[in-house]
Amino acid sequence: MRRPGRDDAPDRLYTLTGGRSRSGHGSPFDLVTLVVAESEPVPGMQSELVTILRLAERPVAVVELAAELRLPVSITRVLLTDLLDQGRVSARHPRTATPAGLLDPNLLEQVLVGLRNL
């Protein structure tokens, strides 16, 4: 069943990704991976790639990009992998963006004990 306002036709998705349906093994992109543009779009670039670079001027999650593009996450991941391979975006998982000492298990245990004592 087709959804209003969406062009999910298989031939369009096939064209967007050059026939690829997966981003490959070891892809750094999951739903919450933060993507940041590392360059400006260039003339002649595919419109979806231009949109990704514009949206990723500030860190944005893969799932948000897919929603804005109105594309399946799997297709968005393929496009992001292309941009990553070209050095046009960087990717990092939110956990790697957290300072090392912020989630110290001992500190969390002490907080839990303190809450139980209340």
Side-chain angles (χ1 to χ4, degrees):
M1 179 172 146
R2 297 196 65 158
R3 292 174 272 186
R6 301 259 320 239
D7 184 7
D8 288 348
D11 55 339
R12 175 178 176 258
L13 299 178
Y14 182 89
T15 303
L16 284 176
T17 63
R20 294 167 293 143
S21 61
R22 298 187 191 274
S23 53
H25 296 299
S27 172
F29 300 107
D30 62 19
L31 295 177
V32 296
T33 300
L34 297 175
V35 178
V36 179
E38 298 294 340
S39 70
E40 294 290 320
V42 295
M45 185 178 271
Q46 186 177 339
S47 64
E48 289 80 8
L49 299 180
V50 170
T51 301
I52 290 171
L53 292 176
R54 294 281 184 235
L55 292 170
E57 288 176 353
R58 292 193 173 108
V60 61
V62 170
V63 69
E64 293 177 79
L65 288 170
E68 288 291 327
L69 291 168
R70 296 183 177 186
L71 290 172
V73 172
S74 60
I75 300 301
T76 303
R77 290 177 65 197
V78 171
L79 297 174
L80 287 168
T81 299
D82 291 346
L83 289 171
L84 183 67
D85 291 346
Q86 297 168 13
R88 297 191 179 281
V89 297
S90 59
R92 67 175 184 254
H93 199 278
R95 286 180 287 194
T96 60
T98 305
L102 188 60
L103 298 175
D104 179 19
N106 293 327
L107 177 61
L108 292 175
E109 182 69 31
Q110 291 173 1
V111 170
L112 183 60
V113 169
L115 289 173
R116 286 182 182 152
N117 289 336
L118 291 177

